[in-house]
Amino acid sequence: MSRRHETGPGGAWRHHSLTIVFGLLLLLFVVGQAVAGTAEYNETARTDGVQQISFARYVSSSSFLVDLVENWQSEYLQFTLYILLTIWLVQRGSSESKKPGETGRESDEEQLVGRFARPDSPRWAQVGGWRRAVYSHSLVIAMTVVFVLSWLAQAVTGRVAESEQRMRDLLDPVSFGDYLVSPDFWSRTLQNWQSEMLAIASMAVFAIYLRERGSPESKPVGMPHDVTTADD
């Protein structure tokens, strides 16, 4: 049996180890965030003289959920913009970029669609019409949907958390519309967005001059700085 068709734990690890490791790291960090968040919440509760809560109650609270999804939405915004902008914009010498002069959507032949599709190409890449159009943009569509949903989740949970805090201060709860234009919502949103833009920009520039041997995110160690890809 070929390696391509291997099954079982060994085959799963060999072919999907990157996803498995990042999935486990995600779970570890979420649990860590929940543990630290519970401790912080209860420390504030003791200071304010209000009731402390259990770990289970904290992970289902708006305080935990708003902190969780506000990071998710910024990450998916980052990747959505990155995927779209790298169609037309370049950074000479960066492994994160196309070569200068090769911008745009590319031809059907380059994209292996329609009559240029391979026998093992995805079915929707071989056919025409709306199915190929949707599949041609399916990555950005998926990223955008997750971004919008997590951004809305941040707005909903943030509004609940803000209202709970206001009620503890004997103030009226805030409406959803008022929260969408509130400093708290945009402070949470923009501080995440700016950090993602910084990360993407620095990665594109660092990849011109710095290397990590063996990583697909890096050029070969000996490649000149001003060469964008190995095909230059």
Side-chain angles (χ1 to χ4, degrees), residues 64-190:
F64 173 70
L65 295 176
V66 68
D67 289 340
L68 187 69
V69 296
E70 75 178 34
N71 288 293
W72 290 6
Q73 58 89 6
S74 63
E75 295 293 342
Y76 280 96
L77 173 66
Q78 172 196 113
F79 283 113
T80 300
L81 291 177
Y82 188 67
I83 294 165
L84 285 173
L85 293 178
T86 51
I87 297 172
W88 296 283
L89 305 181
V90 300
Q91 176 57 60
R92 183 176 178 86
S94 176
S95 60
E96 299 296 305
S97 169
K98 289 182 177 180
K99 292 190 292 185
E102 295 188 356
T103 58
R105 294 290 187 183
E106 301 179 350
S107 66
D108 286 356
E109 183 176 7
E110 291 172 309
Q111 287 292 309
L112 303 177
V113 298
R115 64 189 181 91
F116 299 104
R118 299 176 3 169
D120 57 350
S121 293
R123 176 61 181 165
W124 281 28
Q126 300 178 31
V127 300
W130 67 269
R131 287 180 292 178
R132 188 197 302 172
V134 169
Y135 192 67
S136 296
H137 305 288
S138 55
L139 182 58
V140 164
I141 291 171
M143 292 287 184
T144 302
V145 168
V146 177
F147 162 67
V148 171
L149 291 178
S150 55
W151 189 75
L152 288 174
Q154 177 195 341
V156 171
T157 55
R159 179 254 174 182
V160 174
E162 177 73 5
S163 294
E164 289 175 349
Q165 180 60 51
R166 288 176 62 87
M167 287 187 288
R168 284 196 293 268
D169 296 335
L170 304 179
L171 299 173
D172 292 333
V174 64
S175 69
F176 184 72
D178 288 340
Y179 183 70
L180 283 181
V181 297
S182 69
D184 178 75
F185 175 72
W186 285 106
S187 175
R188 287 178 173 273
T189 297
L190 293 174

Side-chain angles (χ1 to χ4, degrees), residues 199-211:
I200 283 291
S202 60
M203 179 61 184
V205 174
F206 288 166
I208 300 172
Y209 305 104
L210 307 179
R211 308 286 189 269

Side-chain angles (χ1 to χ4, degrees), residues 192-208:
N192 283 282
W193 288 3
Q194 55 87 14
S195 64
E196 303 304 339
M197 299 308 104
L198 174 63
I200 283 291
S202 60
M203 179 61 184
V205 174
F206 288 166
I208 300 172

Side-chain angles (χ1 to χ4, degrees), residues 26-77:
L26 170 63
L27 180 61
L28 175 64
F29 295 153
V30 168
V31 171
Q33 177 188 347
V35 170
T38 303
E40 180 185 23
Y41 185 96
N42 286 331
E43 182 177 344
T44 302
R46 286 194 299 271
T47 302
D48 295 342
V50 297
Q51 183 179 6
Q52 299 180 45
I53 62 176
S54 66
F55 177 82
R57 184 176 174 186
Y58 177 75
V59 296
S60 62
S61 70
S62 57
S63 297
F64 173 70
L65 295 176
V66 68
D67 289 340
L68 187 69
V69 296
E70 75 178 34
N71 288 293
W72 290 6
Q73 58 89 6
S74 63
E75 295 293 342
Y76 280 96
L77 173 66

